[in-house]
Amino acid sequence: MPLTLRWLDATTLPVASDALRADGLAGISPVEAASLPARIGNQPSTLGDLFRIEGDASDGPHRLEGDLRHVRGIGSGMSSGSLIIEGDVGPSLGAAMTGGSITLIGSASTWAGAEMRGGYLHIRGSTGDSLGAAEPGSRRGMRDGMILVEGSVGSEVGLAMRRGLIAVTGQSGPGLGRGMIAGTILSLGPVGRLAGSGMKRGTLALIDPGPDFEPLATFAASGQYRFPFLAVYLRTLRDQGFPIPPGLESRAFDRYNGDLLEGGQGEILTLAAG
């Protein structure tokens, strides 16, 4: 049995611990894990006060289980290893992670994958605002890695994104890809207003943005094409178990270049009719 931490519902105050990441739990016993530091509100605590811990850290991916909505920063800064979480989680899941993989079977709060620099984050539920975004005051958001969301997302997804891939099956809030510097965002569902606003480079690929969607006036139509790089992404996502509709790899897309106020080197791609 892998090392498993089951939430004890010990508090409703905000909880945080730098040890709640795969590399922080690597190679230790349940007794050692229970002694690792945590905070409940502004008071010191330990993981043993918050979780029932059992299993073996050398036996497969580490697991967290329970209603973890009060726990923030799970997997934040993680560099290696694998973490599987069953239950909803609080803010900053996988923020600034540089490697490894996190799979969440549940939904995440705000700032999931914020300023992520590598690794793999797969959320089999919805997320709040600022997925893969730049933190307040920062000029760069997600810088590398892959974020997959099988649900809806909030506003400002991929804000100031620099590199990497974000894919979303459900509805996106306002400001999808706002201020993108580079990278790719694939949205299978409806998108809110101001998609791509202020983007400098990068790609927004919109499969079904909704019947009323129109690119901003600062984007110019530039033809209809098939994009080999997008077909590669779609096949890769399908291999990861992401629900990509069949046949998309061979479809053509209408291309719009923008934001013209920022040099016009970015692009919004929308699935062409037929």
Side-chain angles (χ1 to χ4, degrees):
M1 175 179 168
L3 189 67
T4 301
L5 287 70
R6 294 188 174 93
W7 180 244
L8 294 174
D9 291 321
T11 181
T12 58
L13 293 172
V15 169
S17 173
D18 291 340
L20 289 175
R21 39 193 271 182
D23 47 359
L25 297 170
I28 62 175
S29 70
V31 172
E32 291 170 321
S35 68
L36 292 173
R39 295 196 71 82
I40 301 175
N42 61 0
Q43 297 299 313
S45 184
T46 65
L47 292 186
D49 295 328
L50 299 164
F51 295 91
R52 183 171 75 252
I53 305 173
E54 54 192 355
D56 185 341
S58 65
D59 186 16
H62 309 304
R63 301 184 69 92
L64 300 177
E65 297 177 0
D67 183 354
L68 302 167
R69 288 175 294 174
H70 300 295
V71 185
R72 59 182 64 233
I74 296 174
S76 179
M78 194 171 99
S79 62
S80 62
S82 181
L83 191 63
I84 298 174
I85 307 165
E86 293 189 36
D88 297 341
V89 302
S92 301
L93 172 71
M97 65 185 292
T98 60
S101 71
I102 299 174
T103 299
L104 172 65
I105 305 168
S107 293
S109 182
T110 55
W111 302 103
E115 300 198 9
M116 183 171 168
R117 301 182 185 185
Y120 174 79
L121 176 59
H122 191 164
I123 299 170
R124 295 179 178 170
S126 298
T127 74
D129 297 339
S130 305
L131 175 77
E135 297 276 6
S138 177
R139 298 177 60 186
R140 297 180 181 180
M142 180 178 177
R143 301 175 198 184
D144 211 341
M146 181 183 295
I147 300 176
L148 311 182
V149 179
E150 297 185 42
S152 62
V153 295
S155 63
E156 306 283 271
V157 170
L159 173 68
M161 180 177 178
R162 179 79 182 202
R163 280 187 294 273
L165 172 66
I166 298 175
V168 177
T169 64
Q171 182 170 340
S172 302
L176 180 70
R178 187 170 72 85
M180 281 181 73
I181 301 167
T184 300
I185 299 176
L186 170 69
S187 170
L188 301 180
V191 301
R193 60 190 181 87
L194 300 177
S197 172
M199 71 185 298
K200 298 175 174 61
R201 293 182 300 279
T203 300
L204 285 181
L206 310 179
I207 306 303
D208 185 13
D212 299 325
F213 175 80
E214 289 187 7
L216 293 170
T218 51
F219 284 75
S222 58
Q224 187 178 105
Y225 309 92
R226 288 181 173 84
F227 294 90
F229 85 92
L230 191 56
V232 171
Y233 275 148
L234 292 169
R235 286 192 291 269
T236 299
L237 289 169
R238 188 177 287 116
D239 290 344
Q240 296 282 352
F242 199 69
I244 297 295
L248 280 183
E249 295 93 329
S250 61
R251 296 286 300 275
F253 287 78
D254 295 317
R255 184 188 193 201
Y256 301 85
N257 283 112
D259 188 323
L260 298 176
L261 296 177
E262 298 289 344
Q265 295 185 58
E267 60 184 6
I268 293 177
L269 312 180
T270 60
L271 193 63

PDB file of all heavy atoms in Angstrom, residues 171-198:
ATOM      1  N   GLN A 171     -16.329  24.952 -19.639  1.00  0.00           N
ATOM      2  CA  GLN A 171     -16.455  26.389 -19.842  1.00  0.00           C
ATOM      3  C   GLN A 171     -15.321  27.145 -19.172  1.00  0.00           C
ATOM      4  O   GLN A 171     -14.863  26.776 -18.094  1.00  0.00           O
ATOM      5  CB  GLN A 171     -17.798  26.862 -19.280  1.00  0.00           C
ATOM      6  CG  GLN A 171     -18.076  28.347 -19.473  1.00  0.00           C
ATOM      7  CD  GLN A 171     -19.502  28.700 -19.112  1.00  0.00           C
ATOM      8  OE1 GLN A 171     -20.375  27.826 -19.076  1.00  0.00           O
ATOM      9  NE2 GLN A 171     -19.742  29.957 -18.826  1.00  0.00           N
ATOM     10  N   SER A 172     -14.871  28.224 -19.839  1.00  0.00           N
ATOM     11  CA  SER A 172     -13.829  29.095 -19.290  1.00  0.00           C
ATOM     12  C   SER A 172     -14.417  30.466 -18.991  1.00  0.00           C
ATOM     13  O   SER A 172     -15.232  30.986 -19.762  1.00  0.00           O
ATOM     14  CB  SER A 172     -12.664  29.249 -20.276  1.00  0.00           C
ATOM     15  OG  SER A 172     -12.094  28.001 -20.594  1.00  0.00           O
ATOM     16  N   GLY A 173     -13.983  31.068 -17.901  1.00  0.00           N
ATOM     17  CA  GLY A 173     -14.433  32.404 -17.551  1.00  0.00           C
ATOM     18  C   GLY A 173     -13.747  33.483 -18.375  1.00  0.00           C
ATOM     19  O   GLY A 173     -12.984  33.198 -19.302  1.00  0.00           O
ATOM     20  N   PRO A 174     -13.984  34.749 -18.031  1.00  0.00           N
ATOM     21  CA  PRO A 174     -13.386  35.851 -18.787  1.00  0.00           C
ATOM     22  C   PRO A 174     -11.864  35.833 -18.746  1.00  0.00           C
ATOM     23  O   PRO A 174     -11.253  35.346 -17.799  1.00  0.00           O
ATOM     24  CB  PRO A 174     -13.933  37.098 -18.070  1.00  0.00           C
ATOM     25  CG  PRO A 174     -15.130  36.635 -17.330  1.00  0.00           C
ATOM     26  CD  PRO A 174     -14.866  35.214 -16.950  1.00  0.00           C
ATOM     27  N   GLY A 175     -11.256  36.395 -19.803  1.00  0.00           N
ATOM     28  CA  GLY A 175      -9.812  36.611 -19.820  1.00  0.00           C
ATOM     29  C   GLY A 175      -8.975  35.381 -20.083  1.00  0.00           C
ATOM     30  O   GLY A 175      -7.801  35.350 -19.696  1.00  0.00           O
ATOM     31  N   LEU A 176      -9.517  34.388 -20.775  1.00  0.00           N
ATOM     32  CA  LEU A 176      -8.719  33.207 -21.119  1.00  0.00           C
ATOM     33  C   LEU A 176      -7.511  33.630 -21.939  1.00  0.00           C
ATOM     34  O   LEU A 176      -7.638  34.255 -22.985  1.00  0.00           O
ATOM     35  CB  LEU A 176      -9.572  32.232 -21.926  1.00  0.00           C
ATOM     36  CG  LEU A 176      -8.895  30.939 -22.384  1.00  0.00           C
ATOM     37  CD1 LEU A 176      -8.635  30.029 -21.192  1.00  0.00           C
ATOM     38  CD2 LEU A 176      -9.737  30.219 -23.433  1.00  0.00           C
ATOM     39  N   GLY A 177      -6.306  33.305 -21.457  1.00  0.00           N
ATOM     40  CA  GLY A 177      -5.097  33.649 -22.201  1.00  0.00           C
ATOM     41  C   GLY A 177      -4.755  35.125 -22.219  1.00  0.00           C
ATOM     42  O   GLY A 177      -3.941  35.557 -23.039  1.00  0.00           O
ATOM     43  N   ARG A 178      -5.313  35.903 -21.309  1.00  0.00           N
ATOM     44  CA  ARG A 178      -5.030  37.346 -21.314  1.00  0.00           C
ATOM     45  C   ARG A 178      -3.544  37.585 -21.052  1.00  0.00           C
ATOM     46  O   ARG A 178      -2.950  36.992 -20.153  1.00  0.00           O
ATOM     47  CB  ARG A 178      -5.865  38.046 -20.239  1.00  0.00           C
ATOM     48  CG  ARG A 178      -5.745  39.568 -20.292  1.00  0.00           C
ATOM     49  CD  ARG A 178      -6.763  40.220 -19.388  1.00  0.00           C
ATOM     50  NE  ARG A 178      -6.437  40.059 -17.982  1.00  0.00           N
ATOM     51  CZ  ARG A 178      -5.614  40.868 -17.319  1.00  0.00           C
ATOM     52  NH1 ARG A 178      -4.970  41.856 -17.955  1.00  0.00           N
ATOM     53  NH2 ARG A 178      -5.398  40.679 -16.031  1.00  0.00           N
ATOM     54  N   GLY A 179      -2.945  38.442 -21.874  1.00  0.00           N
ATOM     55  CA  GLY A 179      -1.538  38.795 -21.700  1.00  0.00           C
ATOM     56  C   GLY A 179      -0.563  37.667 -21.960  1.00  0.00           C
ATOM     57  O   GLY A 179       0.590  37.749 -21.523  1.00  0.00           O
ATOM     58  N   MET A 180      -0.981  36.624 -22.697  1.00  0.00           N
ATOM     59  CA  MET A 180      -0.061  35.518 -22.987  1.00  0.00           C
ATOM     60  C   MET A 180       1.212  36.019 -23.656  1.00  0.00           C
ATOM     61  O   MET A 180       1.168  36.867 -24.542  1.00  0.00           O
ATOM     62  CB  MET A 180      -0.723  34.506 -23.918  1.00  0.00           C
ATOM     63  CG  MET A 180      -1.680  33.549 -23.250  1.00  0.00           C
ATOM     64  SD  MET A 180      -2.401  32.372 -24.446  1.00  0.00           S
ATOM     65  CE  MET A 180      -0.976  31.312 -24.762  1.00  0.00           C
ATOM     66  N   ILE A 181       2.332  35.465 -23.243  1.00  0.00           N
ATOM     67  CA  ILE A 181       3.618  35.775 -23.863  1.00  0.00           C
ATOM     68  C   ILE A 181       3.985  34.685 -24.867  1.00  0.00           C
ATOM     69  O   ILE A 181       4.576  34.953 -25.904  1.00  0.00           O
ATOM     70  CB  ILE A 181       4.704  35.923 -22.782  1.00  0.00           C
ATOM     71  CG1 ILE A 181       4.315  37.036 -21.800  1.00  0.00           C
ATOM     72  CG2 ILE A 181       6.069  36.225 -23.402  1.00  0.00           C
ATOM     73  CD1 ILE A 181       5.134  37.061 -20.529  1.00  0.00           C
ATOM     74  N   ALA A 182       3.616  33.451 -24.579  1.00  0.00           N
ATOM     75  CA  ALA A 182       3.795  32.307 -25.487  1.00  0.00           C
ATOM     76  C   ALA A 182       3.067  31.126 -24.853  1.00  0.00           C
ATOM     77  O   ALA A 182       2.423  31.251 -23.821  1.00  0.00           O
ATOM     78  CB  ALA A 182       5.268  32.002 -25.712  1.00  0.00           C
ATOM     79  N   GLY A 183       3.187  29.943 -25.482  1.00  0.00           N
ATOM     80  CA  GLY A 183       2.511  28.763 -24.974  1.00  0.00           C
ATOM     81  C   GLY A 183       1.225  28.491 -25.725  1.00  0.00           C
ATOM     82  O   GLY A 183       0.863  29.211 -26.670  1.00  0.00           O
ATOM     83  N   THR A 184       0.510  27.439 -25.298  1.00  0.00           N
ATOM     84  CA  THR A 184      -0.709  27.007 -25.979  1.00  0.00           C
ATOM     85  C   THR A 184      -1.805  26.721 -24.962  1.00  0.00           C
ATOM     86  O   THR A 184      -1.568  26.053 -23.949  1.00  0.00           O
ATOM     87  CB  THR A 184      -0.458  25.724 -26.801  1.00  0.00           C
ATOM     88  OG1 THR A 184       0.550  25.986 -27.785  1.00  0.00           O
ATOM     89  CG2 THR A 184      -1.728  25.266 -27.506  1.00  0.00           C
ATOM     90  N   ILE A 185      -2.999  27.233 -25.233  1.00  0.00           N
ATOM     91  CA  ILE A 185      -4.189  26.908 -24.454  1.00  0.00           C
ATOM     92  C   ILE A 185      -5.218  26.313 -25.401  1.00  0.00           C
ATOM     93  O   ILE A 185      -5.564  26.919 -26.423  1.00  0.00           O
ATOM     94  CB  ILE A 185      -4.778  28.135 -23.745  1.00  0.00           C
ATOM     95  CG1 ILE A 185      -3.763  28.731 -22.757  1.00  0.00           C
ATOM     96  CG2 ILE A 185      -6.068  27.765 -23.018  1.00  0.00           C
ATOM     97  CD1 ILE A 185      -4.246  30.011 -22.079  1.00  0.00           C
ATOM     98  N   LEU A 186      -5.698  25.118 -25.074  1.00  0.00           N
ATOM     99  CA  LEU A 186      -6.733  24.439 -25.846  1.00  0.00           C
ATOM    100  C   LEU A 186      -8.002  24.406 -25.015  1.00  0.00           C
ATOM    101  O   LEU A 186      -8.007  23.886 -23.898  1.00  0.00           O
ATOM    102  CB  LEU A 186      -6.292  23.021 -26.189  1.00  0.00           C
ATOM    103  CG  LEU A 186      -7.356  22.097 -26.795  1.00  0.00           C
ATOM    104  CD1 LEU A 186      -7.721  22.546 -28.202  1.00  0.00           C
ATOM    105  CD2 LEU A 186      -6.878  20.651 -26.808  1.00  0.00           C
ATOM    106  N   SER A 187      -9.083  24.949 -25.552  1.00  0.00           N
ATOM    107  CA  SER A 187     -10.366  24.944 -24.863  1.00  0.00           C
ATOM    108  C   SER A 187     -11.389  24.203 -25.718  1.00  0.00           C
ATOM    109  O   SER A 187     -11.617  24.558 -26.875  1.00  0.00           O
ATOM    110  CB  SER A 187     -10.853  26.376 -24.605  1.00  0.00           C
ATOM    111  OG  SER A 187     -12.182  26.375 -24.149  1.00  0.00           O
ATOM    112  N   LEU A 188     -12.011  23.175 -25.126  1.00  0.00           N
ATOM    113  CA  LEU A 188     -13.039  22.421 -25.842  1.00  0.00           C
ATOM    114  C   LEU A 188     -14.427  23.008 -25.627  1.00  0.00           C
ATOM    115  O   LEU A 188     -15.366  22.629 -26.335  1.00  0.00           O
ATOM    116  CB  LEU A 188     -13.032  20.963 -25.388  1.00  0.00           C
ATOM    117  CG  LEU A 188     -11.739  20.178 -25.570  1.00  0.00           C
ATOM    118  CD1 LEU A 188     -11.915  18.749 -25.063  1.00  0.00           C
ATOM    119  CD2 LEU A 188     -11.288  20.175 -27.017  1.00  0.00           C
ATOM    120  N   GLY A 189     -14.587  23.902 -24.655  1.00  0.00           N
ATOM    121  CA  GLY A 189     -15.910  24.412 -24.311  1.00  0.00           C
ATOM    122  C   GLY A 189     -16.047  25.910 -24.524  1.00  0.00           C
ATOM    123  O   GLY A 189     -15.137  26.580 -25.016  1.00  0.00           O
ATOM    124  N   PRO A 190     -17.199  26.463 -24.108  1.00  0.00           N
ATOM    125  CA  PRO A 190     -17.453  27.903 -24.291  1.00  0.00           C
ATOM    126  C   PRO A 190     -16.439  28.752 -23.523  1.00  0.00           C
ATOM    127  O   PRO A 190     -15.962  28.353 -22.455  1.00  0.00           O
ATOM    128  CB  PRO A 190     -18.860  28.074 -23.706  1.00  0.00           C
ATOM    129  CG  PRO A 190     -19.479  26.722 -23.729  1.00  0.00           C
ATOM    130  CD  PRO A 190     -18.356  25.759 -23.523  1.00  0.00           C
ATOM    131  N   VAL A 191     -16.144  29.924 -24.074  1.00  0.00           N
ATOM    132  CA  VAL A 191     -15.188  30.830 -23.429  1.00  0.00           C
ATOM    133  C   VAL A 191     -15.865  32.167 -23.146  1.00  0.00           C
ATOM    134  O   VAL A 191     -16.784  32.591 -23.846  1.00  0.00           O
ATOM    135  CB  VAL A 191     -13.921  31.042 -24.293  1.00  0.00           C
ATOM    136  CG1 VAL A 191     -13.231  29.724 -24.555  1.00  0.00           C
ATOM    137  CG2 VAL A 191     -14.249  31.735 -25.597  1.00  0.00           C
ATOM    138  N   GLY A 192     -15.381  32.835 -22.104  1.00  0.00           N
ATOM    139  CA  GLY A 192     -15.915  34.131 -21.728  1.00  0.00           C
ATOM    140  C   GLY A 192     -15.329  35.253 -22.561  1.00  0.00           C
ATOM    141  O   GLY A 192     -14.558  35.047 -23.501  1.00  0.00           O
ATOM    142  N   ARG A 193     -15.676  36.455 -22.187  1.00  0.00           N
ATOM    143  CA  ARG A 193     -15.236  37.635 -22.935  1.00  0.00           C
ATOM    144  C   ARG A 193     -13.738  37.871 -22.746  1.00  0.00           C
ATOM    145  O   ARG A 193     -13.124  37.336 -21.827  1.00  0.00           O
ATOM    146  CB  ARG A 193     -16.039  38.861 -22.511  1.00  0.00           C
ATOM    147  CG  ARG A 193     -15.905  39.192 -21.050  1.00  0.00           C
ATOM    148  CD  ARG A 193     -16.892  40.265 -20.619  1.00  0.00           C
ATOM    149  NE  ARG A 193     -16.720  40.578 -19.208  1.00  0.00           N
ATOM    150  CZ  ARG A 193     -15.866  41.465 -18.749  1.00  0.00           C
ATOM    151  NH1 ARG A 193     -15.076  42.143 -19.588  1.00  0.00           N
ATOM    152  NH2 ARG A 193     -15.769  41.707 -17.461  1.00  0.00           N
ATOM    153  N   LEU A 194     -13.178  38.690 -23.614  1.00  0.00           N
ATOM    154  CA  LEU A 194     -11.778  39.141 -23.550  1.00  0.00           C
ATOM    155  C   LEU A 194     -10.771  38.017 -23.719  1.00  0.00           C
ATOM    156  O   LEU A 194      -9.638  38.115 -23.260  1.00  0.00           O
ATOM    157  CB  LEU A 194     -11.500  39.890 -22.236  1.00  0.00           C
ATOM    158  CG  LEU A 194     -12.344  41.145 -21.973  1.00  0.00           C
ATOM    159  CD1 LEU A 194     -12.008  41.722 -20.617  1.00  0.00           C
ATOM    160  CD2 LEU A 194     -12.144  42.185 -23.064  1.00  0.00           C
ATOM    161  N   ALA A 195     -11.142  36.952 -24.396  1.00  0.00           N
ATOM    162  CA  ALA A 195     -10.183  35.866 -24.666  1.00  0.00           C
ATOM    163  C   ALA A 195      -9.025  36.401 -25.495  1.00  0.00           C
ATOM    164  O   ALA A 195      -9.225  37.026 -26.536  1.00  0.00           O
ATOM    165  CB  ALA A 195     -10.865  34.723 -25.398  1.00  0.00           C
ATOM    166  N   GLY A 196      -7.807  36.176 -25.044  1.00  0.00           N
ATOM    167  CA  GLY A 196      -6.618  36.614 -25.771  1.00  0.00           C
ATOM    168  C   GLY A 196      -6.299  38.081 -25.658  1.00  0.00           C
ATOM    169  O   GLY A 196      -5.363  38.559 -26.314  1.00  0.00           O
ATOM    170  N   SER A 197      -7.017  38.814 -24.837  1.00  0.00           N
ATOM    171  CA  SER A 197      -6.759  40.246 -24.712  1.00  0.00           C
ATOM    172  C   SER A 197      -5.312  40.496 -24.299  1.00  0.00           C
ATOM    173  O   SER A 197      -4.815  39.929 -23.334  1.00  0.00           O
ATOM    174  CB  SER A 197      -7.708  40.840 -23.658  1.00  0.00           C
ATOM    175  OG  SER A 197      -7.373  42.178 -23.375  1.00  0.00           O
ATOM    176  N   GLY A 198      -4.627  41.337 -25.073  1.00  0.00           N
ATOM    177  CA  GLY A 198      -3.262  41.714 -24.740  1.00  0.00           C
ATOM    178  C   GLY A 198      -2.223  40.638 -24.980  1.00  0.00           C
ATOM    179  O   GLY A 198      -1.074  40.803 -24.565  1.00  0.00           O
TER     180      GLY A 198
END
